[in-house]
Amino acid sequence: MSIAEIQQAEGRGTPALRRFLQKQSVLGRFLRKRSGVAGLVMLVVPLVAGLCAPLLVWIEGQDPSTLHTDLLDPDGGRPLGAFGGVSADHWLGVIPVTGVDLFAQIVYGIRSSLFIAFGASILSIAFAAVLGTATGYFGGWLNAVAGRVIDFMFGFPGLMFVIAIMAIVPPEMPRGLVLVLVLAFFGWTVPARIIGAQAGAINARAFVEAARATGAPPWQIIRREMLPHLFGLVVVLFAMSLPGNVSVVAGLSFLGVGLRGDVPDLGKLLSDSLSWIYSGADVWYMLFPGAVVFLIVFGATLAGDALRDVLDVRTEDAA
């Protein structure tokens, strides 16, 4: 579509074109925010590395489970060579005592941590969007009941409950799935209240009243009139919840109640590296996985803040 065609169609005010121009404007404003672009890069690079973990490990020529004891100091188990044993065969060195390739453990750890964080964020924000939109549109007893439940959840010690639940999960249950469900269960409250308040404001606006006056059913009003105006807010809330879930997943594994067994995990790598940090024998063991966690959390935070500013999810009274 050429510029002239866009301008000509814009004068006609077609809804499809307005949506097209809005998307173009949002993308352009986001790309002009250096912090947002930097955050997106910091988030996308680890994400791609996690998604392509089997390919990257195959290119390196290693795997996340093979022991390389010949690369360790026989006396203390410390990796031989500089930077924790970094070499052409082991891009980030090897893990002390076992000699397992650290790069393979990190990329597979990114994969497991991000999948859990994404799953929990998607479930919690989807439920919050449904509940918040319903309470904002219908109000009444539904809004009152949902408000009391949210107030109770605010006062509930969620993190302590998550730690207790993960500590008693039977070994035969998939801990990753349990983590997704538990984090989603405690992650919907704040987004639901925010979406509910925004939906209530949109519900009182003239174009919703006009649609209601025409006799349109509630589901049609919600789908056509309210959800398009709530989409930006939902995206921002998802972007803001992701770094929190990544931190919680890593923190639970750090405390020993997250993923267990031979499943690679960033939090377990950080926890296992503590003794080597205290002794000063191998600081690189913590530095590499710690840097990855920092990039994911900080990048998602920067991208979410920039996206919030670009979408400007505040409701305009004059619309």
Side-chain angles (χ1 to χ4, degrees), residues 98-112:
T98 63
V100 174
D101 185 76
L102 183 57
F103 175 79
Q105 283 280 317
I106 287 177
V107 293
Y108 273 97
I110 293 172
R111 187 179 188 141
S112 57

Side-chain angles (χ1 to χ4, degrees), residues 84-153:
V86 172
S87 66
D89 294 326
H90 301 278
W91 296 346
L92 296 181
V94 295
I95 295 176
V97 179
T98 63
V100 174
D101 185 76
L102 183 57
F103 175 79
Q105 283 280 317
I106 287 177
V107 293
Y108 273 97
I110 293 172
R111 187 179 188 141
S112 57
S113 298
L114 280 180
F115 281 4
I116 293 172
F118 266 99
S121 296
I122 290 172
L123 286 180
S124 61
I125 299 302
F127 180 76
V130 172
L131 181 62
T133 304
T135 57
Y137 180 81
F138 294 104
W141 66 268
L142 179 62
N143 189 30
V145 171
R148 301 294 78 76
V149 172
I150 292 175
D151 290 339
F152 170 77
M153 294 293 290

Side-chain angles (χ1 to χ4, degrees), residues 4 20 55 85 107 118 155-156 176 182 190 220 237 273 279 300 308 317:
F20 171 79
L55 176 62
V107 293
F118 266 99
F156 195 82
V182 172
V190 173
Q220 183 175 339
L237 290 173
S273 66
S279 64
R308 179 187 58 194
D317 297 331

